[in-house]
């Protein structure tokens, strides 16, 4: 069966273009070092500024290894991961000896899930499998309505704690409607770990870009990092430019990253647990700026599902987070503290 890596070619093309580092003058380029690898089903690039090649190469290696380590634990497509172990366990059974780090991320995912009133749900693996956006080749039609209805019925029977962590650190998945899919949060988490690795090893001017998840530290000398946000409907268009010169994380969730068209309908990979279908909230793209990538990642997915009104309400509970939303008609709305030097509707 396929996994994130096998799918990487496709994802890379779409994912990488969501947010990208815009070009810079020659002198700046000379001090810039960059390396790109295929990880977590996407192209991950690390860029440093003003560090020697030896230092940069050595520390980037550690950061890539850290992403690899997180993926090996949290991917539901790798047979030996802790997440696969959990997903394969009989429902209702308590599973022990799980990595503390994984339990911690699950707790954080559950918390955002609660705050979003269930719009963000790290337990959607069975539904994600029905839709099959990570399948190779990608699907050409939605799953049968009866399968989705069956999932909704099973889900209606879930107890409040569909994913339960016991006081003695065991984890239980309640029934067959639930399975771990950390795809809306783990990439951001891995980017955070990688950035912490860079910083802890003396690389202070750096940018990590993992598809739609980006994290920045320091600057390019006296220049900010210059980031472009892709036009959701025009692969070469830029709808916003962000000049960022402080430690910040940026994450974008859109209906144009992984999707297929069937009978003129766009089916994309961000699912609404209430309908069992791709979220139709009136938004086509959500970009969140936050202090850390995990929060930015989870919130961009959450806001996408919730839509403008409920989404902005949720955002208010995160004082250091800002968002730019693009509506179906192409108009845009951004919160007052969102850093964008230039933005225009697509
Ligand atoms: P990307 O795939 O570019 O990282 P997102 O951060 O928006 O995009 O995450 C989408 C992924 O999150 C899906 O591929 C799936 O694994 C998972 N997902 C889909 N719908 C939801 C949801 N409602 N809540 C949480 N995770 C979701
Ligand atoms: Mg996300």
């Amino acid at each position: 069966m396929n996994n994130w890596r096998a799918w990487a070619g496709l994802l890379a093309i779409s994912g990488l273009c969501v947010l990208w580092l815009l070009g810079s003058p020659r002198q700046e380029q000379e001090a810039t070092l960059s390396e790109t690898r295929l990880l977590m089903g996407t192209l991950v690039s690390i860029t440093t500024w003003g560090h020697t090649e030896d230092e940069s190469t050595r520390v980037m290696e550690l950061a890539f290894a850290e992403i690899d380590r997180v993926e090996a634990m949290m991917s539901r497509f790798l047979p030996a991961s802790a997440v696969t172990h959990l997903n394969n366990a009989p429902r209702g059974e308590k599973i022990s000896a799980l990595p503390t780090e994984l339990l911690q991320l699950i707790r954080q995912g559950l918390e955002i899930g609660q705050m979003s009133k269930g719009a963000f749900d790290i337990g959607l693996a069975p539904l994600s499998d029905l839709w099959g956006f990570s399948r190779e080749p990608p699907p050409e039609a939605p799953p049968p309505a009866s399968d989705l209805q069956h999932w909704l019925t099973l889900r209606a029977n879930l107890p409040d704690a569909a994913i339960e962590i016991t006081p003695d650190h065991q984890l239980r998945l309640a029934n067959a409607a639930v399975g771990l899919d950390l795809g809306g949060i783990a990439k951001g988490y891995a980017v955070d770990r990688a950035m912490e690795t860079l910083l802890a090893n003396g690389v202070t001017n750096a940018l990590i870009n993992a598809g739609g998840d980006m994290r920045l530290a320091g600057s390019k000398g006296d220049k900010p990092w210059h980031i472009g946000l892709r036009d959701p409907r025009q692969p070469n268009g830029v709808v916003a430019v962000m000049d960022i010169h402080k430690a910040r994380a940026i994450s974008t969730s859109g209906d144009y990253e992984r999707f297929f068209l069937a009978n003129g309908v766009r089916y994309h990979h961000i699912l609404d647990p209430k309908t069992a279908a791709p979220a139709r909230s009136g938004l086509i793209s959500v970009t969140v700026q936050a202090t850390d990538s995990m929060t930015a990642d989870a919130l961009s997915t959450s806001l996408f599902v919730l839509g403008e009104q409920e989404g902005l309400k949720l955002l208010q509970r995160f004082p250091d987070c800002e968002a730019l939303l693009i509506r179906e008609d192409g108009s845009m709305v951004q919160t007052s503290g969102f850093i964008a030097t230039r933005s225009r509707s697509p």
Side-chain angles (χ1 to χ4, degrees):
M1 248 313 265
N2 155 60
N3 63 32
W4 279 3
R5 289 166 207 265
W7 225 71
L10 259 180
L11 279 184
I13 295 164
S14 50
L16 190 75
C17 299
V18 176
L19 291 165
W20 75 95
L21 184 57
L22 296 168
S24 47
R26 214 172 147 207
Q27 205 185 344
E28 280 172 38
Q29 277 172 16
E30 279 165 8
T32 303
L33 294 164
S34 197
E35 187 168 334
T36 302
R37 293 196 190 163
L38 214 49
L39 285 162
M40 305 185 294
T42 191
L43 287 181
V44 179
S45 56
I46 302 182
T47 303
T48 66
W49 187 90
H51 297 277
T52 65
E53 192 163 350
D54 279 358
E55 182 192 22
S56 183
T57 308
R58 181 181 67 81
V59 180
M60 277 186 196
E61 195 61 50
L62 299 175
F64 280 123
E66 182 62 3
I67 295 178
D68 201 34
R69 186 188 66 79
V70 171
E71 183 183 11
M73 185 190 300
M74 300 189 180
S75 167
R76 70 189 185 92
F77 301 111
L78 298 176
S81 78
V83 164
T84 300
H85 173 60
L86 273 168
N87 282 344
N88 288 343
R91 297 305 184 254
E93 198 168 278
K94 286 192 214 165
I95 306 302
S96 54
L98 293 164
T100 311
E101 190 182 0
L102 174 62
L103 287 176
Q104 190 51 27
L105 187 73
I106 292 173
R107 280 194 194 94
Q108 285 172 297
L110 291 175
E111 195 185 331
I112 295 177
Q114 263 181 355
M115 292 173 83
S116 71
K117 300 191 182 117
F120 184 78
D121 188 339
I122 57 167
L124 293 183
L127 182 64
S128 301
D129 284 342
L130 281 179
W131 280 93
F133 284 98
S134 46
R135 225 178 280 142
E136 182 64 51
E140 287 172 5
S146 56
D147 288 1
L148 296 177
Q149 192 49 52
H150 177 68
W151 180 81
L152 281 169
T153 310
L154 258 179
R155 193 167 190 273
N157 293 327
L158 278 174
D160 281 348
I163 299 171
E164 183 192 356
I165 300 179
T166 63
D168 58 346
H169 313 294
Q170 302 193 73
L171 190 144
R172 176 166 42 201
L173 301 172
N175 78 15
V178 61
L180 284 176
D181 176 353
L182 299 177
I185 189 169
K187 193 144 59 90
Y189 175 75
V191 168
D192 285 336
R193 291 282 75 78
M195 182 56 90
E196 266 147 45
T197 304
L198 295 179
L199 295 173
N201 286 279
V203 169
T204 49
N205 298 312
L207 178 148
I208 303 176
N209 187 6
D213 296 289
M214 199 180 250
R215 188 162 158 179
L216 322 107
S219 58
K220 291 195 294 177
D222 55 357
K223 299 269 176 16
W225 297 105
H226 197 45
I227 315 297
L229 171 64
R230 192 187 125 179
D231 183 329
R233 295 292 181 260
Q234 278 188 5
N236 296 322
V238 174
V239 285
V241 172
M242 300 169 253
D243 281 336
I244 299 197
H245 46 73
K246 60 177 184 177
R248 213 72 186 128
I250 313 170
S251 171
T252 294
S253 290
D255 69 356
Y256 53 102
E257 296 170 77
R258 264 187 269 170
F259 69 94
F260 61 86
L261 295 168
N263 296 323
V265 179
R266 177 185 288 258
Y267 296 96
H268 59 80
H269 72 310
I270 304 174
L271 303 169
D272 184 344
K274 279 202 184 118
T275 61
R280 290 233 155 72
S281 65
L283 301 176
I284 60 174
S285 172
V286 174
T287 300
V288 171
Q289 294 174 342
T291 305
D292 65 273
S293 276
M294 185 211 71
T295 307
D297 189 9
L299 281 184
S300 65
T301 309
S302 306
L303 265 63
F304 190 97
V305 177
L306 285 171
E308 183 172 338
Q309 211 181 359
E310 289 299 311
L312 291 177
K313 238 192 253 173
L314 172 65
L315 197 73
Q316 279 175 3
R317 296 175 66 186
F318 294 82
D320 65 336
C321 295
E322 305 288 338
L324 181 151
L325 316 177
I326 307 181
R327 304 184 184 105
E328 265 166 2
D329 67 2
S331 60
M332 308 204 309
V333 58
Q334 67 191 61
T335 56
S336 59
F338 189 88
I339 306 168
T341 15
R342 173 166 70 79
S343 55
R344 62 161 185 80
S345 289

